[in-house]
């Protein structure tokens, strides 16, 4: 019967193993596959998952790698992956998603608020600091441990006056890195030299940050650049100031990326 075939293929019902295996074998020989659209319609699903990144971030290697990995896993689970533009905030249109993955949810991001109003399961890559938002799951990285290990690596190499160029604390990622650095400076009884920049910084933003660091401490001997893609700008700014890298100032990047391997100056990265 139709019900028997459906139960056998979908792993439902109380069928004898011999019957279930026979149906599956015949379906395989005939090249039968279930219609995914009909299946989703019957289950009230769309078969699609949304993926949202911070605005203007798709050129950064971290988000490119995340998108590729998400697409591969979604395909393996027979889902379509929909990349959601940060500029799209009109959720009154009939968009149908079974769930949403939000990378680095930021406080004050209206698109994140709109996605929550869809009423579908939401998983975030890093915690969401907005108390009114509730999520189904969180993928959390140990930024505190990673930043501490990076700072200890610099000090083991002789650095004593370490500054940090860090994104503002609108995201959990940036807040964890910043807090880890401030805790480390207290343990080391050293002065904190922290300059905040936008998550998606320009070369001008980083040049201004390096200038502020040099004003605070002309003898700074190491700078950690936290945001993806910003370490090359730090190096250029130091060289423009007449300093040698790494002779006078070591530069480390909290986020690794392919552009670091092309630099004439060695850069330590997590």
């Amino acid at each position: 019967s139709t019900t028997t075939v459906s139960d056998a293929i979908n792993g439902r019902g109380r069928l004898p193993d011999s019957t279930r295996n026979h149906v599956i074998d015949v379906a395989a020989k005939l090249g039968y596959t279930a219609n995914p659209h009909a299946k989703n319609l019957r289950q009230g699903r769309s078969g699609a998952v949304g993926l949202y990144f911070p605005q203007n971030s798709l050129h950064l290697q971290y988000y490119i790698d995340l998108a590729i990995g998400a697409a591969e896993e979604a395909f393996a689970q027979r889902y379509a992956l929909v990349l959601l533009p940060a500029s799209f905030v009109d959720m009154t249109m009939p968009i149908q998603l079974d769930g949403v993955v939000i990378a680095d949810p930021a406080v004050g991001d209206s698109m994140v608020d709109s996605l929550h109003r869809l009423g579908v399961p939401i998983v975030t890559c890093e915690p969401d600091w907005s108390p009114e938002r509730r999520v189904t799951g969180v993928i959390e990285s140990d930024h505190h441990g990673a930043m501490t290990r990076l700072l200890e690596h610099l000090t083991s190499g002789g650095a004593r006056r370490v500054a940090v160029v860090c994104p503002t604390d609108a995201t959990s990622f940036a807040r964890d890195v910043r807090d880890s650095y401030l805790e480390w400076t207290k343990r080391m009884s050293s002065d904190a030299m922290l300059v905040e920049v936008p998550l998606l910084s320009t070369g001008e933003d980083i040049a201004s940050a390096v200038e502020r660091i040099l004003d605070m401490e002309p003898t700074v001997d190491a700078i950690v650049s936290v945001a993806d893609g910003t370490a090359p700008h730090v190096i250029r700014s130091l060289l423009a100031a007449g300093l040698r890298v790494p002779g006078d100032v070591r530069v480390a990047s909290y986020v690794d990326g392919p552009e670091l391997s092309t630099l004439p100056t060695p850069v330590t990265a997590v």
Side-chain angles (χ1 to χ4, degrees), residues 5 54 70 84 116 131 175 194 200 208 213 227 230:
V5 172
L84 302 171
H116 275 269
R175 185 176 297 193
L194 176 71
L200 303 172
S208 176
I213 289 172
T230 56

Side-chain angles (χ1 to χ4, degrees), residues 108-120:
D109 189 331
S110 58
M111 180 61 174
V112 174
D113 294 329
S114 296
L115 291 171
H116 275 269
R117 288 194 290 270
L118 289 176
V120 300

Side-chain angles (χ1 to χ4, degrees), residues 94-113:
I95 183 172
Q96 296 181 344
L97 299 170
D98 294 331
V100 176
V101 177
I102 300 176
D104 290 320
V107 175
D109 189 331
S110 58
M111 180 61 174
V112 174
D113 294 329

Side-chain angles (χ1 to χ4, degrees), residues 215-252:
D215 286 342
M216 284 189 290
E217 179 54 77
T219 60
V220 61
D221 54 16
I223 296 178
V224 177
S225 193
V226 175
D228 191 1
T230 56
H233 296 301
V234 171
I235 293 174
R236 282 192 285 270
S237 298
L238 290 170
L239 294 176
L243 295 169
R244 296 172 300 151
V245 180
D248 296 317
V249 184
R250 296 177 177 87
V251 174

